[in-house]
C-alpha cells in the first residue's frame, strides 16, 4: 500500500543478548515505551516518515505500546491500531495468580499494582485524541478479550473516535485464515481512512 514500516526492537526484545533483554524487566510504560517514540522521531529525522502521517500499530505487548504512545505522546501519531493488546497491566499480572508462573510474572512485569494501573492505557483513555482501532479474538487465552472491551468502553465514555472488531472464536495468534483476512482488511480500511497515501 506504500507505507514505510518500522519494526521496533525496544529494550527487552530478545535476540540482542541478556543485558538488552534484562533492560525490559519492570519497564512497561517507561523506557521500553520511549524507545518506540524515539524510533518514530528517527523516521522523521531520516526523512522516511511524514510527521503528519504516522500511525502506530502492534499486537499483544505491541498493542499496549501503541495505545500508550497515543495516550502519552501528543501529536506524534495520527492513529493507533491494537490487536489483542494489553490495556490493563495490573489486571494482566493479577490474572496469573492461580498459575505457577505468578512469581515470575511479578518479577518480570512488576507487583506495584497502583503503578501498573497508572501505566495502563485504560487509565489514560481521556488523553487519547486520535482514531483508535481495537481488534481482539473472543477466545484469546493469552490476553483476555476483556482488555479490548474495557478499553473500548473507556474510550466511548469520553466520546473518542474508536472502532472495535471482536473476532468470534478468534485466538491470540490469528490461527484461523478467515480471522487473518478480516483483521488485515479492517486494518487496511482504517489506514486508508486515517492515513491516506497520496
Amino acid at each position: 500500500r506504500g507505507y514505510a514500516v518500522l519494526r521496533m526492537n525496544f529494550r527487552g526484545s530478545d535476540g540482542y543478548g541478556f543485558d538488552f533483554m534484562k533492560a525490559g524487566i519492570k519497564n512497561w510504560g517507561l523506557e521500553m515505551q520511549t524507545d518506540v517514540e524515539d524510533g518514530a522521531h528517527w523516521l522523521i529525522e531520516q526523512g522516511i516518515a511524514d510527521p503528519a502521517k504516522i500511525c502506530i500499530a502492534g499486537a499483544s505487548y505491541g498493542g499496549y505500546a501503541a495505545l500508550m504512545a497515543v495516550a502519552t505522546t501528543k501529536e506524534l501519531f495520527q492513529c493507533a491500531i491494537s490487536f489483542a493488546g494489553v490495556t490493563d497491566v495490573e489486571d494482566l499480572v493479577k490474572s496469573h495468580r492461580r498459575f505457577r508462573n505468578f512469581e515470575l510474572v511479578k518479577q518480570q512485569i512488576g507487583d506495584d499494582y497502583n503503578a501498573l494501573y497508572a501505566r495502563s492505557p485504560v487509565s489514560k483513555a481521556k488523553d487519547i485524541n486520535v482514531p483508535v482501532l481495537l481488534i481482539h479474538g473472543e477466545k484469546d487465552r493469552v490476553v483476555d478479550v476483556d482488555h479490548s472491551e474495557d478499553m473500548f468502553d473507556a474510550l466511548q465514555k469520553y466520546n473518542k473516535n474508536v472502532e472495535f472488531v471482536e473476532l468470534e472464536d478468534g485466538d491470540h495468534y490469528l490461527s484461523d485464515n478467515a480471522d487473518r483476512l478480516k483483521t488485515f482488511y479492517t486494518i487496511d480500511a482504517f489506514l486508508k481512512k486515517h492515513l491516506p497515501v497520496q
Side-chain angles (χ1 to χ4, degrees), residues 60 84 92 95-96 99 136-147 169-173:
S60 198
L92 179 73
S95 70
H96 285 78
F99 296 91
H136 215 121
E138 180 187 39
K139 295 189 176 175
D140 191 325
R141 297 293 177 255
V142 179
V143 178
D144 196 280
V145 69
D146 288 352
H147 282 263
D169 295 327
D171 64 13
H172 193 69
Y173 308 102

Side-chain angles (χ1 to χ4, degrees), residues 34-174:
T34 56
D35 287 343
V36 175
E37 294 155 14
D38 289 345
H41 286 295
W42 179 84
L43 287 172
I44 295 167
E45 290 164 8
Q46 298 299 310
I48 297 169
D50 179 341
K53 293 182 180 180
I54 303 178
C55 188
I56 183 165
S60 198
Y61 169 81
Y64 163 85
L67 294 170
M68 280 296 286
V70 293
T72 60
T73 308
K74 303 303 178 190
E75 299 177 0
L76 183 56
F77 302 100
Q78 282 68 60
C79 56
I81 301 166
S82 169
F83 171 78
V86 174
T87 66
D88 186 338
V89 188
E90 176 191 6
D91 179 72
L92 179 73
V93 174
K94 286 182 174 179
S95 70
H96 285 78
R97 281 179 293 199
R98 291 184 288 278
F99 296 91
R100 289 183 180 181
N101 68 343
F102 183 45
E103 292 303 317
L104 179 63
V105 170
K106 287 195 295 183
Q107 289 174 24
Q108 186 178 21
I109 299 176
D111 58 3
D112 181 339
Y113 294 131
N114 290 332
L116 292 177
Y117 183 73
R119 297 200 313 260
S120 297
V122 74
S123 75
K124 301 181 180 303
K126 188 177 182 179
D127 300 321
I128 295 176
N129 295 309
V130 299
V132 171
L133 172 62
L134 305 170
I135 306 173
H136 215 121
E138 180 187 39
K139 295 189 176 175
D140 191 325
R141 297 293 177 255
V142 179
V143 178
D144 196 280
V145 69
D146 288 352
H147 282 263
S148 288
E149 290 174 345
D150 291 346
M151 191 71 202
F152 179 69
D153 291 343
L155 289 166
Q156 280 207 315
K157 175 184 173 183
Y158 294 108
N159 297 312
K160 303 298 184 175
N161 185 343
V162 58
E163 180 182 347
F164 179 35
V165 175
E166 190 167 316
L167 303 172
E168 186 178 357
D169 295 327
D171 64 13
H172 193 69
Y173 308 102
L174 288 175

